[in-house]
Amino acid sequence: MIETWRWYGEFDPITLAEVAQTGASGIVTALHAIPYGEIWSSEAVAARKSAVEAAGFVWSVVESLPVHERIKTGDGDLSGLFANYRQSMANLAAQGIRTICYNFMPLLDWTRTDLAAPVAGGATCLRFEATHMAAFEIHMLGRQAAEDDYSDEVRVRAAAWFQQATETERDKLLSSIMAGMPGAFDRYDIPGLRKALAGYDGIDRDALRANYARFLSEVVPAAEDLGIRLCVHPDDPPRDILGLPRIVSTGADLDWILTAQDSPANGVTLCSGSLGAHPGNDVPAIAAQVAGRIHFAHLRNVRKEPDGSFEEAAHLEGDTDMVALLRVLLGEEARRRAAGRADDAIPFRPDHGHHMLSDHDRDFVPGYPLIGRLRGLAELRGVIRGIGHV
């Protein structure tokens, strides 16, 4: 497997010189300053690649080439947006960059309610707290029908939290939910979020699937021609939130996606954390199910709670059997080698880490500290080496 490290370019306080000390050989990055829907120019792609290679790395994976919100809603004439996406892919392929991670999450990217939840020993982690999300949806956002999405127990706790929460605590909750990805994307206040959600009125799971199928039909053939492997990232969390459908959350969802365009160019980013937050998902089993179309892997772990809450666990802890998952991925690599596939090695990165030790003295992109991810990479590296010697 190819060890990679996510780097946010000009938005990342971690330097490539520091990343070099982790032992990773590949960089996972994107042109975060370019607004969604605009073309990634040849010059901008070449400049980022040059910076990565000058530091001694390979630009292994693009994460992410964003899908514009109008494509997700199917709003208006989309020909220009599809053309721009294809041109960005062509400009990446011209530089030899051929693995592109993306997601199809409506409106918001990954969503958490707490960016610094305490864990044992003084570290902190990302957390999704069902009570706080319910308080946000029901009492702060005032979304109709939100009460139907939560149990009686969660609704009671949510009302109590909202009643005692200070304005500062409510603002912090909104900020956490909006944290998502750095770069050129929208962060909303409450009125802005209500307006943005209105753009999804009438779009249910079937409608969103139809819009996704259209996107795939527009870009996968071009990816085939360019030798590009697209790999969709699962929903995070893998559940409907804010009344918006999530359609990349389960093994059945992935089966539908891979069948919609049955091509090696249409693949999966196997994110063990996102899939692992769904109570019905067996992550190693899902990995085995889609193994031949895994083009990239995010390895992290979560610990789930009965009410739908979850938090980031250490990479070898939590609810997913990481050793079993790595056996699946390494077995797939062996099958690819035996078949003579050129893409036998799967790039992976240690996803999300605990904020720990001297990381507390620096600001980082939420979920992406230096030492916490280095710990995860070291643990994963050890398991991979160990499996290889069994």
Side-chain angles (χ1 to χ4, degrees):
M1 298 184 72
I2 302 170
E3 295 181 1
T4 69
W5 189 272
R6 191 169 196 181
W7 182 62
Y8 287 96
E10 63 270 41
F11 298 98
D12 202 327
I14 299 173
T15 67
L16 288 175
E18 289 177 300
V19 177
Q21 297 180 56
T22 69
S25 60
I27 290 294
V28 175
T29 191
L31 305 183
H32 297 289
I34 297 179
Y36 293 3
E38 293 188 8
I39 293 173
W40 287 14
S41 70
S42 298
E43 295 78 11
V45 171
R48 176 56 57 88
K49 181 185 179 188
S50 178
V52 167
E53 292 183 344
F57 296 98
V58 173
W59 186 355
S60 300
V61 180
V62 172
E63 186 179 352
S64 297
L65 181 58
V67 179
H68 195 278
E69 213 63 35
R70 284 181 50 217
I71 292 175
K72 298 174 189 176
T73 60
D75 177 29
D77 180 6
L78 302 177
S79 57
L81 288 173
F82 289 131
N84 286 358
Y85 204 95
R86 290 190 293 265
Q87 187 60 58
S88 293
M89 291 197 304
N91 293 342
L92 287 162
Q95 293 292 327
I97 304 157
R98 300 184 184 276
T99 303
I100 298 176
C101 173
Y102 70 97
N103 73 70
F104 214 80
M105 291 182 245
L107 201 60
L108 298 183
D109 207 288
W110 61 262
T111 303
R112 300 291 187 273
T113 59
D114 192 340
L115 305 182
V119 295
T124 63
C125 71
L126 302 181
R127 178 174 172 83
F128 182 92
E129 170 58 57
T131 296
H132 295 166
M133 194 69 199
F136 177 78
E137 292 204 60
I138 297 169
H139 300 287
M140 293 174 61
L141 188 62
R143 181 175 70 83
Q144 293 184 353
E147 292 195 4
D148 296 337
D149 292 342
Y150 297 94
S151 68
D152 292 343
E153 180 182 357
V154 169
R155 290 199 302 270
V156 168
R157 294 201 308 263
W161 181 88
F162 178 75
Q163 289 299 323
Q164 60 82 36
T166 65
E167 183 175 352
T168 298
E169 289 170 329
R170 296 175 187 178
D171 288 344
K172 182 180 178 182
L173 177 57
L174 173 63
S175 179
S176 297
I177 291 171
M178 292 295 112
M181 302 276 286
F185 65 98
D186 292 322
R187 284 191 174 101
Y188 304 104
D189 57 13
I190 294 293
L193 182 56
R194 289 180 182 135
K195 181 178 179 181
L197 287 170
Y200 277 88
D201 286 349
I203 298 178
D204 60 10
R205 179 180 177 85
D206 289 339
L208 189 61
R209 267 192 168 185
N211 294 339
Y212 188 14
R214 181 183 177 189
F215 168 75
L216 292 173
S217 71
E218 291 279 355
V219 301
V220 170
E224 286 180 339
D225 293 341
L226 294 165
I228 277 178
R229 300 296 175 93
L230 295 166
C231 41
V232 66
H233 187 286
D235 302 323
D236 188 8
R239 52 163 288 178
D240 294 357
I241 57 171
L242 300 174
L244 300 173
R246 295 290 183 105
I247 59 172
V248 193
S249 296
T250 66
D253 290 338
L254 295 180
D255 275 343
W256 177 87
I257 292 162
L258 298 182
T259 303
Q261 289 288 319
D262 191 5
S263 164
N266 179 30
V268 173
T269 296
L270 195 287
C271 180
S272 58
S274 295
L275 292 170
H278 191 296
N281 284 345
D282 179 332
V283 180
I286 290 174
Q289 166 192 325
V290 300
R293 303 274 277 278
I294 295 173
H295 301 324
F296 182 34
H298 292 177
L299 300 181
R300 63 181 171 90
N301 224 321
V302 296
R303 184 175 291 107
K304 300 183 291 293
E305 298 169 19
D307 67 357
S309 302
F310 64 90
E311 67 182 25
E312 310 281 357
H315 287 73
L316 301 186
E317 299 175 10
D319 297 336
T320 294
D321 185 339
M322 192 62 68
V323 176
L325 175 58
L326 285 166
R327 286 189 187 279
V328 172
L329 296 177
L330 291 168
E332 173 58 22
E333 286 189 330
R335 282 187 287 274
R336 294 181 187 186
R337 285 193 297 274
R341 282 179 56 169
D343 64 339
D344 62 297
I346 299 172
F348 80 94
R349 64 175 179 82
D351 197 14
H352 297 181
H354 287 175
H355 204 105
M356 59 194 301
L357 302 174
S358 59
D359 280 347
H360 289 301
D361 300 327
R362 299 175 64 180
D363 291 327
F364 295 103
V365 175
Y368 291 90
L370 178 59
I371 296 173
R373 282 189 290 164
L374 177 57
R375 174 189 171 182
L377 177 58
E379 292 177 342
L380 296 167
R381 180 185 292 150
V383 172
I384 292 167
R385 297 284 179 86
I387 290 173
H389 283 280
V390 173

